């Protein structure tokens, strides 16, 4: 009986976490980013809330048997750039938070045809079973990678190439958000997923945080709304900022 009550309370608590109905992919300073929005509907936020992303996609085995390759559903880790997963991908759920994943050469959303065909260097692109890296760590000097001015190892993907890859691989992005309920000390996990049909291109989230005489207010009627974004933004301000 106690286990059942615990499970029911955890499920009810997880239902207070909101995820945007749609994810977006947009281009910022020459790079494509996958984004979605999440928020807490209760006034008592989760303790130590953090987020993880995984991509499940349909792909062929490297080795052929009798001239045929088996197609398998594979689960891939997706590195999170905002909030930084090097710092635990921690979230403050009091305001809507935009979670950002960069579609770089380690991303499972990166088109395979843009990767080098004649061998791969784990310092510059995804190479199984080496750990998944992030291009942003090379860009900001946190990790060694391709020397400055060196020839690009991977081709920059186009919008159409990414769209075709998402459709062909039947890719689904799985979001797992975890935290501790401060009133019960139970660990809560909320899950959501996005498939190709749930992704809006060249869009961003409408502003849903407004100021009132009593303070800040989150307008949940606008939480799921999208608006057009620049085709290649040079400067980007998240919709959760005000």
């Amino acid at each position: 009986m106690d286990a059942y009550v615990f499970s029911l309370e955890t499920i009810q608590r997880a239902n207070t976490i909101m995820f945007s109905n749609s994810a977006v992919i947009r281009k910022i300073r020459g790079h494509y980013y996958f984004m979605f929005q999440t928020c807490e509907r209760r006034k008592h936020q989760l303790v130590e809330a953090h987020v993880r992303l995984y991509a499940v996609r349909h792909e062929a085995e490297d080795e052929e048997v009798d001239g045929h390759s088996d197609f398998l559903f594979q689960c891939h880790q997706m590195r999170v750039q905002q909030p930084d997963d090097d710092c635990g991908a921690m979230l403050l759920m009091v305001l809507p938070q935009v979670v950002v994943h960069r579609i770089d050469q380690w991303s499972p959303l990166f088109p395979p045809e843009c990767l080098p065909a004649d061998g791969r260097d784990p310092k510059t692109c995804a190479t199984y079973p080496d750990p998944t890296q992030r291009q942003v760590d090379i860009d900001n000097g946190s990790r060694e990678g391709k020397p400055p001015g060196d020839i690009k190892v991977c081709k920059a993907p186009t919008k159409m190439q990414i769209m075709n890859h998402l459709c062909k691989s039947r890719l689904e992005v799985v979001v797992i958000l975890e935290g501790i309920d401060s009133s019960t000390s139970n660990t809560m996990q909320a899950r959501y997923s996005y498939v190709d049909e749930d992704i809006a291109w060249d869009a961003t989230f409408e502003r849903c945080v407004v100021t009132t005489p009593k303070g800040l207010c989150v307008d949940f009627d606008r939480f799921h709304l999208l608006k057009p974004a620049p085709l290649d933004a040079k400067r980007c301000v998240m919709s959760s900022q005000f």
Side-chain angles (χ1 to χ4, degrees):
M1 182 64 180
D2 291 340
Y4 172 77
V5 173
F6 169 80
S7 177
L8 181 60
E9 289 180 351
T10 304
I11 293 174
Q12 291 175 341
R13 184 65 179 87
N15 289 335
T16 66
I17 304 299
M18 291 186 65
F19 297 93
S20 55
N21 290 335
S22 300
V24 303
I25 294 180
R26 58 177 301 195
K27 197 174 187 180
I28 302 174
R29 293 187 293 276
H31 305 291
Y32 285 101
Y33 294 85
F34 172 90
M35 306 178 181
F36 66 92
Q37 191 167 230
T38 184
C39 190
E40 166 71 90
R41 284 186 288 187
R42 284 192 178 184
K43 65 178 181 179
H44 300 293
Q45 286 74 43
L46 291 174
V47 178
E48 298 291 324
H50 55 278
V51 66
R52 291 178 284 139
L53 302 182
Y54 298 93
V56 180
R57 70 183 187 188
H58 204 212
E59 55 189 309
E61 286 186 317
D62 293 334
E63 298 181 359
E64 293 187 358
V65 179
D66 297 330
H68 299 282
S69 295
D70 288 334
F71 285 85
L72 307 172
F73 280 99
Q74 298 289 316
C75 186
H76 299 267
Q77 178 191 22
M78 294 174 60
R79 297 295 303 271
V80 181
Q81 187 160 316
Q82 289 289 343
D84 189 354
D85 60 12
D86 271 350
C87 300
M90 308 302 291
L91 292 166
L92 179 63
M93 304 292 290
V94 64
L95 291 173
Q97 300 289 304
V98 177
V99 180
V100 181
H101 164 79
R102 178 171 167 178
I103 305 178
D104 58 19
Q105 56 268 35
W106 284 276
S107 169
L109 281 64
F110 195 84
E113 63 267 26
C114 295
L115 294 171
D118 53 347
R120 302 178 185 177
D121 184 349
K123 293 190 299 182
T124 55
C125 63
T127 306
Y128 182 83
D130 293 292
T132 303
Q133 307 293 338
R134 298 186 307 183
Q135 179 62 36
V136 67
D137 295 326
I138 299 176
D139 294 343
N140 61 25
S142 298
R143 187 174 65 82
E144 292 185 358
K146 180 176 64 66
D150 195 8
I151 299 176
K152 288 188 176 181
V153 177
C154 301
K155 300 177 182 178
T158 64
K159 175 181 176 180
M160 188 57 63
Q161 285 176 319
I162 298 175
M163 293 177 71
N164 290 338
H165 172 56
L166 297 181
C167 180
K168 182 179 178 181
S169 63
R170 291 188 272 173
L171 190 143
E172 181 175 4
V173 176
V174 179
V175 181
I176 300 178
L177 194 152
E178 296 174 318
I180 301 172
D181 182 26
S182 58
S183 60
T184 63
S185 297
N186 290 336
T187 299
M188 185 281 307
Q189 185 178 92
R191 299 183 183 184
Y192 203 80
S193 69
Y194 299 97
V195 295
D196 185 32
E197 294 79 6
D198 301 322
I199 298 175
W201 282 83
D202 302 321
T204 187
F205 299 99
E206 282 278 9
R207 178 179 175 181
C208 61
V209 178
V210 296
T211 55
T212 68
K214 295 183 178 180
L216 297 178
C217 177
V218 180
D219 186 353
F220 288 109
D221 290 334
R222 300 178 59 83
F223 179 80
H224 300 287
L225 298 182
L226 302 176
K227 63 181 180 180
L231 296 181
D232 190 0
K234 302 304 178 185
R235 179 178 179 271
C236 181
V237 177
M238 285 291 91
S239 56
S240 57
Q241 297 181 352
F242 48 89

